Amino acid sequence: IYLIVEGRRANKERVEAHKKADSEIVKESLSFAVVVLVASIPLAIEIVTTTTLALGSRQLSARGAIVTRLGSIEEMAGMDMLCSD
């Protein structure tokens, strides 16, 4: 009877240790994922910025808002107030 009780207690301890190990693995995996995400932001910022500016330029071009005459841009730069509809 002692061996059965001792065996069950040892098995229970192993199961508890395994559960703790699983929770630690999950915590470490989550921590690693956060670190990778934070580290990738500076690497991707150039790509995101370039893509955003390119898409914005394409939309401005579709609306006819891109001005090819430098004189008109210089005149607009000298304005204090621009009213439009």
Side-chain angles (χ1 to χ4, degrees):
I1 294 177
Y2 175 75
L3 292 175
I4 293 173
V5 172
E6 190 64 29
R8 286 184 180 173
R9 186 173 60 120
N11 189 26
K12 187 176 181 180
E13 289 174 358
R14 275 187 262 142
V15 168
E16 291 297 322
H18 187 64
K19 285 181 182 177
K20 288 181 183 178
D22 284 346
S23 67
E24 289 178 14
I25 289 172
V26 170
K27 287 179 185 177
E28 287 179 13
S29 298
L30 184 61
S31 175
F32 180 75
V34 170
V35 168
V36 168
L37 287 173
V38 170
S40 68
I41 290 173
L43 298 175
I45 195 76
E46 296 173 5
I47 298 167
V48 171
T49 303
T50 304
T51 305
T52 304
L53 290 173
L55 292 174
S57 297
R58 183 177 286 175
Q59 288 178 355
L60 288 172
S61 175
R63 294 181 183 173
I66 296 179
V67 179
T68 58
R69 293 185 338 207
L70 186 58
S72 59
I73 295 173
E74 289 175 351
E75 289 177 18
M76 287 185 69
M79 292 183 184
D80 292 329
M81 184 182 302
L82 175 63
C83 301
S84 66
D85 293 346

PDB file of all heavy atoms in Angstrom, residues 46-69:
ATOM      1  N   GLU A  46      10.897  52.022 -42.830  1.00  0.00           N
ATOM      2  CA  GLU A  46      11.268  52.587 -44.134  1.00  0.00           C
ATOM      3  C   GLU A  46      10.333  52.094 -45.230  1.00  0.00           C
ATOM      4  O   GLU A  46       9.879  52.870 -46.071  1.00  0.00           O
ATOM      5  CB  GLU A  46      12.702  52.216 -44.483  1.00  0.00           C
ATOM      6  CG  GLU A  46      13.730  52.804 -43.543  1.00  0.00           C
ATOM      7  CD  GLU A  46      15.120  52.269 -43.818  1.00  0.00           C
ATOM      8  OE1 GLU A  46      15.284  51.518 -44.797  1.00  0.00           O
ATOM      9  OE2 GLU A  46      16.031  52.606 -43.054  1.00  0.00           O
ATOM     10  N   ILE A  47      10.027  50.823 -45.203  1.00  0.00           N
ATOM     11  CA  ILE A  47       9.141  50.245 -46.210  1.00  0.00           C
ATOM     12  C   ILE A  47       7.733  50.813 -46.071  1.00  0.00           C
ATOM     13  O   ILE A  47       7.098  51.173 -47.067  1.00  0.00           O
ATOM     14  CB  ILE A  47       9.126  48.707 -46.084  1.00  0.00           C
ATOM     15  CG1 ILE A  47      10.524  48.158 -46.350  1.00  0.00           C
ATOM     16  CG2 ILE A  47       8.099  48.086 -47.009  1.00  0.00           C
ATOM     17  CD1 ILE A  47      10.698  46.717 -45.967  1.00  0.00           C
ATOM     18  N   VAL A  48       7.250  50.910 -44.845  1.00  0.00           N
ATOM     19  CA  VAL A  48       5.903  51.434 -44.615  1.00  0.00           C
ATOM     20  C   VAL A  48       5.818  52.893 -45.042  1.00  0.00           C
ATOM     21  O   VAL A  48       4.852  53.308 -45.692  1.00  0.00           O
ATOM     22  CB  VAL A  48       5.510  51.265 -43.124  1.00  0.00           C
ATOM     23  CG1 VAL A  48       4.225  51.997 -42.812  1.00  0.00           C
ATOM     24  CG2 VAL A  48       5.385  49.798 -42.781  1.00  0.00           C
ATOM     25  N   THR A  49       6.820  53.688 -44.699  1.00  0.00           N
ATOM     26  CA  THR A  49       6.817  55.108 -45.065  1.00  0.00           C
ATOM     27  C   THR A  49       6.853  55.282 -46.583  1.00  0.00           C
ATOM     28  O   THR A  49       6.081  56.064 -47.145  1.00  0.00           O
ATOM     29  CB  THR A  49       8.021  55.821 -44.438  1.00  0.00           C
ATOM     30  OG1 THR A  49       7.977  55.628 -43.018  1.00  0.00           O
ATOM     31  CG2 THR A  49       8.004  57.296 -44.734  1.00  0.00           C
ATOM     32  N   THR A  50       7.717  54.570 -47.261  1.00  0.00           N
ATOM     33  CA  THR A  50       7.821  54.676 -48.715  1.00  0.00           C
ATOM     34  C   THR A  50       6.523  54.250 -49.395  1.00  0.00           C
ATOM     35  O   THR A  50       6.038  54.918 -50.319  1.00  0.00           O
ATOM     36  CB  THR A  50       8.980  53.809 -49.229  1.00  0.00           C
ATOM     37  OG1 THR A  50      10.176  54.208 -48.568  1.00  0.00           O
ATOM     38  CG2 THR A  50       9.150  53.935 -50.722  1.00  0.00           C
ATOM     39  N   THR A  51       5.946  53.156 -48.930  1.00  0.00           N
ATOM     40  CA  THR A  51       4.690  52.680 -49.513  1.00  0.00           C
ATOM     41  C   THR A  51       3.563  53.664 -49.290  1.00  0.00           C
ATOM     42  O   THR A  51       2.769  53.941 -50.197  1.00  0.00           O
ATOM     43  CB  THR A  51       4.321  51.312 -48.912  1.00  0.00           C
ATOM     44  OG1 THR A  51       5.423  50.416 -49.098  1.00  0.00           O
ATOM     45  CG2 THR A  51       3.085  50.740 -49.556  1.00  0.00           C
ATOM     46  N   THR A  52       3.480  54.227 -48.093  1.00  0.00           N
ATOM     47  CA  THR A  52       2.431  55.195 -47.794  1.00  0.00           C
ATOM     48  C   THR A  52       2.565  56.437 -48.657  1.00  0.00           C
ATOM     49  O   THR A  52       1.567  56.948 -49.199  1.00  0.00           O
ATOM     50  CB  THR A  52       2.484  55.588 -46.307  1.00  0.00           C
ATOM     51  OG1 THR A  52       2.388  54.403 -45.514  1.00  0.00           O
ATOM     52  CG2 THR A  52       1.367  56.529 -45.943  1.00  0.00           C
ATOM     53  N   LEU A  53       3.776  56.950 -48.812  1.00  0.00           N
ATOM     54  CA  LEU A  53       3.987  58.127 -49.658  1.00  0.00           C
ATOM     55  C   LEU A  53       3.675  57.824 -51.126  1.00  0.00           C
ATOM     56  O   LEU A  53       3.092  58.665 -51.832  1.00  0.00           O
ATOM     57  CB  LEU A  53       5.424  58.625 -49.514  1.00  0.00           C
ATOM     58  CG  LEU A  53       5.765  59.259 -48.172  1.00  0.00           C
ATOM     59  CD1 LEU A  53       7.257  59.559 -48.093  1.00  0.00           C
ATOM     60  CD2 LEU A  53       4.956  60.521 -47.945  1.00  0.00           C
ATOM     61  N   ALA A  54       4.027  56.642 -51.592  1.00  0.00           N
ATOM     62  CA  ALA A  54       3.738  56.269 -52.983  1.00  0.00           C
ATOM     63  C   ALA A  54       2.234  56.172 -53.217  1.00  0.00           C
ATOM     64  O   ALA A  54       1.727  56.649 -54.244  1.00  0.00           O
ATOM     65  CB  ALA A  54       4.410  54.948 -53.327  1.00  0.00           C
ATOM     66  N   LEU A  55       1.516  55.571 -52.286  1.00  0.00           N
ATOM     67  CA  LEU A  55       0.062  55.475 -52.435  1.00  0.00           C
ATOM     68  C   LEU A  55      -0.592  56.849 -52.375  1.00  0.00           C
ATOM     69  O   LEU A  55      -1.539  57.131 -53.125  1.00  0.00           O
ATOM     70  CB  LEU A  55      -0.523  54.557 -51.359  1.00  0.00           C
ATOM     71  CG  LEU A  55      -0.159  53.079 -51.476  1.00  0.00           C
ATOM     72  CD1 LEU A  55      -0.667  52.306 -50.275  1.00  0.00           C
ATOM     73  CD2 LEU A  55      -0.719  52.496 -52.768  1.00  0.00           C
ATOM     74  N   GLY A  56      -0.098  57.716 -51.501  1.00  0.00           N
ATOM     75  CA  GLY A  56      -0.620  59.079 -51.426  1.00  0.00           C
ATOM     76  C   GLY A  56      -0.363  59.849 -52.703  1.00  0.00           C
ATOM     77  O   GLY A  56      -1.234  60.582 -53.185  1.00  0.00           O
ATOM     78  N   SER A  57       0.803  59.692 -53.289  1.00  0.00           N
ATOM     79  CA  SER A  57       1.122  60.357 -54.556  1.00  0.00           C
ATOM     80  C   SER A  57       0.226  59.858 -55.683  1.00  0.00           C
ATOM     81  O   SER A  57      -0.225  60.635 -56.529  1.00  0.00           O
ATOM     82  CB  SER A  57       2.580  60.112 -54.940  1.00  0.00           C
ATOM     83  OG  SER A  57       3.433  60.667 -53.984  1.00  0.00           O
ATOM     84  N   ARG A  58      -0.059  58.573 -55.674  1.00  0.00           N
ATOM     85  CA  ARG A  58      -0.934  58.007 -56.694  1.00  0.00           C
ATOM     86  C   ARG A  58      -2.352  58.581 -56.575  1.00  0.00           C
ATOM     87  O   ARG A  58      -2.986  58.915 -57.578  1.00  0.00           O
ATOM     88  CB  ARG A  58      -0.972  56.494 -56.571  1.00  0.00           C
ATOM     89  CG  ARG A  58      -1.804  55.833 -57.662  1.00  0.00           C
ATOM     90  CD  ARG A  58      -1.770  54.345 -57.560  1.00  0.00           C
ATOM     91  NE  ARG A  58      -0.465  53.885 -58.019  1.00  0.00           N
ATOM     92  CZ  ARG A  58      -0.066  52.631 -57.978  1.00  0.00           C
ATOM     93  NH1 ARG A  58      -0.850  51.722 -57.473  1.00  0.00           N
ATOM     94  NH2 ARG A  58       1.117  52.289 -58.417  1.00  0.00           N
ATOM     95  N   GLN A  59      -2.843  58.731 -55.337  1.00  0.00           N
ATOM     96  CA  GLN A  59      -4.176  59.316 -55.138  1.00  0.00           C
ATOM     97  C   GLN A  59      -4.202  60.785 -55.552  1.00  0.00           C
ATOM     98  O   GLN A  59      -5.163  61.243 -56.166  1.00  0.00           O
ATOM     99  CB  GLN A  59      -4.608  59.177 -53.679  1.00  0.00           C
ATOM    100  CG  GLN A  59      -4.961  57.761 -53.286  1.00  0.00           C
ATOM    101  CD  GLN A  59      -5.344  57.661 -51.818  1.00  0.00           C
ATOM    102  OE1 GLN A  59      -5.252  58.625 -51.078  1.00  0.00           O
ATOM    103  NE2 GLN A  59      -5.773  56.477 -51.410  1.00  0.00           N
ATOM    104  N   LEU A  60      -3.152  61.528 -55.224  1.00  0.00           N
ATOM    105  CA  LEU A  60      -3.087  62.934 -55.633  1.00  0.00           C
ATOM    106  C   LEU A  60      -3.039  63.058 -57.148  1.00  0.00           C
ATOM    107  O   LEU A  60      -3.669  63.955 -57.731  1.00  0.00           O
ATOM    108  CB  LEU A  60      -1.863  63.609 -55.010  1.00  0.00           C
ATOM    109  CG  LEU A  60      -1.927  63.875 -53.511  1.00  0.00           C
ATOM    110  CD1 LEU A  60      -0.573  64.362 -53.004  1.00  0.00           C
ATOM    111  CD2 LEU A  60      -3.011  64.891 -53.189  1.00  0.00           C
ATOM    112  N   SER A  61      -2.319  62.167 -57.790  1.00  0.00           N
ATOM    113  CA  SER A  61      -2.238  62.193 -59.244  1.00  0.00           C
ATOM    114  C   SER A  61      -3.597  61.885 -59.875  1.00  0.00           C
ATOM    115  O   SER A  61      -3.983  62.500 -60.869  1.00  0.00           O
ATOM    116  CB  SER A  61      -1.200  61.183 -59.718  1.00  0.00           C
ATOM    117  OG  SER A  61      -1.184  61.109 -61.111  1.00  0.00           O
ATOM    118  N   ALA A  62      -4.330  60.937 -59.297  1.00  0.00           N
ATOM    119  CA  ALA A  62      -5.651  60.584 -59.826  1.00  0.00           C
ATOM    120  C   ALA A  62      -6.623  61.749 -59.700  1.00  0.00           C
ATOM    121  O   ALA A  62      -7.515  61.912 -60.530  1.00  0.00           O
ATOM    122  CB  ALA A  62      -6.192  59.359 -59.096  1.00  0.00           C
ATOM    123  N   ARG A  63      -6.455  62.569 -58.684  1.00  0.00           N
ATOM    124  CA  ARG A  63      -7.339  63.723 -58.486  1.00  0.00           C
ATOM    125  C   ARG A  63      -6.854  64.966 -59.222  1.00  0.00           C
ATOM    126  O   ARG A  63      -7.488  66.008 -59.179  1.00  0.00           O
ATOM    127  CB  ARG A  63      -7.450  64.034 -56.996  1.00  0.00           C
ATOM    128  CG  ARG A  63      -8.141  62.946 -56.220  1.00  0.00           C
ATOM    129  CD  ARG A  63      -8.241  63.298 -54.784  1.00  0.00           C
ATOM    130  NE  ARG A  63      -8.841  62.211 -54.034  1.00  0.00           N
ATOM    131  CZ  ARG A  63      -8.931  62.187 -52.725  1.00  0.00           C
ATOM    132  NH1 ARG A  63      -8.453  63.193 -52.014  1.00  0.00           N
ATOM    133  NH2 ARG A  63      -9.489  61.163 -52.118  1.00  0.00           N
ATOM    134  N   GLY A  64      -5.715  64.877 -59.850  1.00  0.00           N
ATOM    135  CA  GLY A  64      -5.173  66.013 -60.587  1.00  0.00           C
ATOM    136  C   GLY A  64      -4.590  67.081 -59.683  1.00  0.00           C
ATOM    137  O   GLY A  64      -4.533  68.250 -60.042  1.00  0.00           O
ATOM    138  N   ALA A  65      -4.123  66.686 -58.515  1.00  0.00           N
ATOM    139  CA  ALA A  65      -3.613  67.652 -57.543  1.00  0.00           C
ATOM    140  C   ALA A  65      -2.107  67.875 -57.664  1.00  0.00           C
ATOM    141  O   ALA A  65      -1.568  68.754 -56.988  1.00  0.00           O
ATOM    142  CB  ALA A  65      -3.943  67.190 -56.133  1.00  0.00           C
ATOM    143  N   ILE A  66      -1.426  67.107 -58.476  1.00  0.00           N
ATOM    144  CA  ILE A  66       0.019  67.280 -58.626  1.00  0.00           C
ATOM    145  C   ILE A  66       0.277  68.395 -59.642  1.00  0.00           C
ATOM    146  O   ILE A  66      -0.206  68.350 -60.771  1.00  0.00           O
ATOM    147  CB  ILE A  66       0.693  65.977 -59.058  1.00  0.00           C
ATOM    148  CG1 ILE A  66       0.524  64.929 -57.954  1.00  0.00           C
ATOM    149  CG2 ILE A  66       2.159  66.203 -59.376  1.00  0.00           C
ATOM    150  CD1 ILE A  66       1.123  63.600 -58.264  1.00  0.00           C
ATOM    151  N   VAL A  67       1.021  69.389 -59.232  1.00  0.00           N
ATOM    152  CA  VAL A  67       1.294  70.575 -60.051  1.00  0.00           C
ATOM    153  C   VAL A  67       2.668  70.417 -60.675  1.00  0.00           C
ATOM    154  O   VAL A  67       3.644  70.113 -59.998  1.00  0.00           O
ATOM    155  CB  VAL A  67       1.232  71.849 -59.186  1.00  0.00           C
ATOM    156  CG1 VAL A  67       1.532  73.070 -60.003  1.00  0.00           C
ATOM    157  CG2 VAL A  67      -0.115  71.958 -58.510  1.00  0.00           C
ATOM    158  N   THR A  68       2.738  70.642 -61.964  1.00  0.00           N
ATOM    159  CA  THR A  68       4.025  70.503 -62.656  1.00  0.00           C
ATOM    160  C   THR A  68       4.713  71.841 -62.874  1.00  0.00           C
ATOM    161  O   THR A  68       5.890  71.864 -63.230  1.00  0.00           O
ATOM    162  CB  THR A  68       3.830  69.819 -64.015  1.00  0.00           C
ATOM    163  OG1 THR A  68       2.910  70.583 -64.794  1.00  0.00           O
ATOM    164  CG2 THR A  68       3.305  68.406 -63.844  1.00  0.00           C
ATOM    165  N   ARG A  69       4.004  72.946 -62.654  1.00  0.00           N
ATOM    166  CA  ARG A  69       4.609  74.270 -62.837  1.00  0.00           C
ATOM    167  C   ARG A  69       5.148  74.766 -61.501  1.00  0.00           C
ATOM    168  O   ARG A  69       4.406  74.898 -60.526  1.00  0.00           O
ATOM    169  CB  ARG A  69       3.575  75.260 -63.355  1.00  0.00           C
ATOM    170  CG  ARG A  69       3.109  74.956 -64.752  1.00  0.00           C
ATOM    171  CD  ARG A  69       2.182  76.022 -65.244  1.00  0.00           C
ATOM    172  NE  ARG A  69       1.583  76.754 -64.131  1.00  0.00           N
ATOM    173  CZ  ARG A  69       0.419  77.364 -64.164  1.00  0.00           C
ATOM    174  NH1 ARG A  69      -0.279  77.350 -65.246  1.00  0.00           N
ATOM    175  NH2 ARG A  69      -0.047  78.009 -63.115  1.00  0.00           N
TER     176      ARG A  69
END
